[in-house]
Amino acid sequence: MSFVGLAVPYGFILNPEVIHNNSELSPTCKHCKSIYEHSETNKMKRRGVMTDIDFVREHYDIGQVLTSTALQQGNSSKAMLIHAASGKYVLRKLKNEQQAHAEHKLYQVLASVNISPKMLKARDGLSYIIYNHEIYNLQTYINNTIPYHQVSIDFVQLGNVISLFHQLISHLDIPEQKDRYELHQLWSAVSNEVKNSSYEGIRALTEHTEQCMEYKSKNNTMIHGDLGVWNMLFTKECIHVIDMGEVRRGNHHFDLAAR
């Protein structure tokens, strides 16, 4: 925990004993700790991140919650790293109960072959909880991950993981999520701007796009729907697939192209 250079949040009246060398906050001072914690909480609130995590301990048998840290947000959920007495976990806020039910089935199958994290069951036996009218699930944290921009990807291994992913989820009866990449919907949103562009090259996209819309894709399997490297966790031994909030029926080549 670093206090150096932390600005004092608006609304705090500093006691003279709080002022330290170079006006820096001291990690040994209880007043500084209060300022730091207040500042971090405000930062998370401004980002729309969960800040009250005591409810996690109430619903899951993970022991005392020691720390919580906001993680990079995905397209279908917000997430926090929970460090508890029993280990590290990822708490995710979901869109709705439909996503919660779908993810339970998906992670149950995928975790059995170690290509996704495991999902914990709450004390009531469900795979998700409802708190303040919001839906959450809790997953195990994958340790020793390597940032994807530093990974030398083994494409044979990656292909095997994606193939196994498709095989395992193809038979699952789960509610499908909306395709936010659906071409007709995207074109409807930008077509006027493209057609009226002052650049000939952009206007030329109109004909090509409308030709593409005539193509009937073979939606012959269940796909991840957003399977870029940003939704994979890499370790030295494994590739794990995460963030299943957009799983739907589609063409398996879409997942391969997303990489």
Side-chain angles (χ1 to χ4, degrees):
M1 181 182 292
S2 175
F3 291 79
V4 177
L6 180 64
V8 177
Y10 178 79
F12 269 89
I13 300 176
L14 290 182
N15 187 299
E17 65 181 287
V18 177
I19 305 300
H20 303 285
N21 293 335
N22 300 321
S23 299
E24 294 176 356
L25 300 181
S26 168
T28 60
C29 171
K30 64 180 182 180
H31 300 286
C32 289
K33 286 183 179 180
S34 175
I35 292 172
Y36 177 84
E37 291 167 358
H38 181 85
S39 176
E40 290 301 293
T41 297
N42 279 344
K43 286 180 184 177
M44 290 194 291
K45 284 181 177 178
R46 288 195 295 270
R47 294 198 301 267
V49 176
M50 300 160 284
T51 57
D52 178 12
I53 43 81
D54 286 340
F55 71 91
V56 181
R57 180 179 58 185
E58 297 173 2
H59 289 86
Y60 291 95
D61 292 318
I62 60 173
Q64 181 181 359
V65 175
L66 306 175
T67 61
S68 60
T69 308
L71 296 173
Q72 182 176 351
Q73 307 305 316
N75 290 312
S76 61
S77 66
K78 295 181 179 180
M80 291 193 76
L81 172 61
I82 304 294
H83 188 184
S86 58
K88 293 181 180 179
Y89 306 90
V90 176
L91 178 70
R92 300 172 63 242
K93 184 165 75 170
L94 310 179
K95 293 182 292 187
N96 48 47
E97 285 188 79
Q98 175 176 295
Q99 182 184 353
H101 287 297
E103 290 200 358
H104 168 62
K105 293 182 178 181
L106 290 163
Y107 281 98
Q108 194 173 33
V109 169
L110 298 172
S112 67
V113 293
N114 198 34
I115 61 171
S116 80
K118 295 179 180 177
M119 187 175 293
L120 277 69
K121 285 191 175 182
R123 286 195 170 106
D124 60 8
L126 296 177
S127 58
Y128 66 95
I129 62 174
I130 301 176
Y131 177 76
N132 281 350
H133 308 291
E134 302 283 2
I135 313 295
Y136 301 89
N137 63 22
L138 191 68
Q139 303 169 5
T140 54
Y141 177 75
I142 304 297
N143 288 296
N144 303 317
T145 59
I146 306 170
Y148 62 79
H149 60 274
Q150 298 178 11
V151 173
S152 178
I153 297 177
D154 181 338
F155 287 98
V156 173
Q157 180 190 25
L158 178 61
N160 288 335
V161 168
I162 295 176
S163 175
L164 182 57
F165 175 89
H166 288 151
Q167 291 175 40
L168 291 172
I169 72 171
S170 63
H171 69 283
L172 295 180
D173 180 20
I174 57 175
E176 298 182 33
Q177 302 299 316
K178 184 178 180 180
D179 180 5
R180 61 189 175 94
Y181 298 107
E182 201 278 320
L183 183 57
H184 289 81
Q185 176 182 315
L186 295 177
W187 182 240
S188 176
V190 301
S191 58
N192 287 336
E193 184 177 350
V194 172
K195 292 175 181 178
N196 297 320
S197 173
S198 58
Y199 295 97
E200 182 180 353
I202 293 180
R203 294 196 303 272
L205 293 172
T206 299
E207 181 181 356
H208 297 302
T209 304
E210 291 177 347
Q211 285 178 350
C212 288
M213 287 195 293
E214 296 176 3
Y215 174 74
K216 302 297 182 183
S217 177
K218 295 180 180 179
N219 297 332
N220 52 5
T221 189
M222 297 299 291
I223 64 172
H224 182 281
D226 191 22
L227 194 57
V229 290
W230 51 88
N231 277 329
M232 299 179 192
L233 299 177
F234 298 88
T235 67
K236 289 183 178 180
E237 299 81 19
C238 302
I239 299 175
H240 295 86
V241 178
I242 59 172
D243 198 351
M244 314 289 179
E246 298 195 51
V247 169
R248 62 182 183 274
R249 185 157 293 280
N251 190 301
H252 64 279
H253 292 105
F254 186 88
D255 280 346
L256 295 171
R259 168 18 217 138

